[in-house]
């Protein structure tokens, strides 16, 4: 499942640079996560890096974008092929 940033976000900018897929960007009001790019860091790290660094714990799983670990890994492989 993809992650999302809630309105508790304080726009501190610590999540965006740690995202290995560049899935996080500044939205109109708060940072946003592109579910097409978010793999929960599967393929890169053991845990989602944005969740690890967020000082206000505002990055939960997004129930609107449910994905299995296998789907996240497949998305990771697709994304690294696009970059290569």
């Amino acid at each position: 499942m993809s992650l999302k940033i809630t309105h508790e976000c304080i726009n501190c900018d610590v999540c965006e640079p740690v995202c290995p897929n560049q899935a996080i960007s500044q939205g109109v009001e708060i940072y946003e996560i592109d579910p097409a790019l978010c793999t929960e860091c599967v393929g890169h790290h053991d845990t989602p890096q944005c969740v690890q660094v967020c000082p206000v714990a505002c990055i939960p799983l997004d129930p609107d974008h449910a994905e299995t670990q296998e789907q996240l890994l497949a998305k990771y492989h697709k994304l690294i092929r696009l970059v290569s």
Side-chain angles (χ1 to χ4, degrees):
M1 160 173 326
S2 174
L3 299 168
K4 69 177 181 177
I5 297 175
T6 66
H7 284 284
E8 286 79 23
C9 175
I10 58 172
N11 287 316
C12 65
D13 190 41
V14 297
C15 61
E16 191 252 348
V18 299
C19 180
N21 296 326
Q22 299 177 337
I24 301 173
S25 62
Q26 180 64 50
V28 175
E29 295 179 27
I30 59 172
Y31 279 86
E32 298 175 347
I33 297 177
D34 182 345
L37 299 176
C38 179
T39 63
E40 294 180 51
C41 290
V42 168
H44 295 282
H45 304 283
D46 292 333
T47 59
Q49 298 302 287
C50 59
V51 173
Q52 293 290 314
V53 299
C54 181
V56 292
C58 69
I59 308 176
L61 292 172
D62 184 353
D64 293 334
H65 296 96
E67 295 172 288
T68 65
Q69 288 295 309
E70 293 78 19
Q71 290 171 315
L72 291 169
L73 188 57
K75 187 191 311 184
Y76 160 76
H77 286 296
K78 179 181 175 187
L79 289 170
I80 61 170
R81 276 192 292 266
L82 292 175
V83 174
S84 299

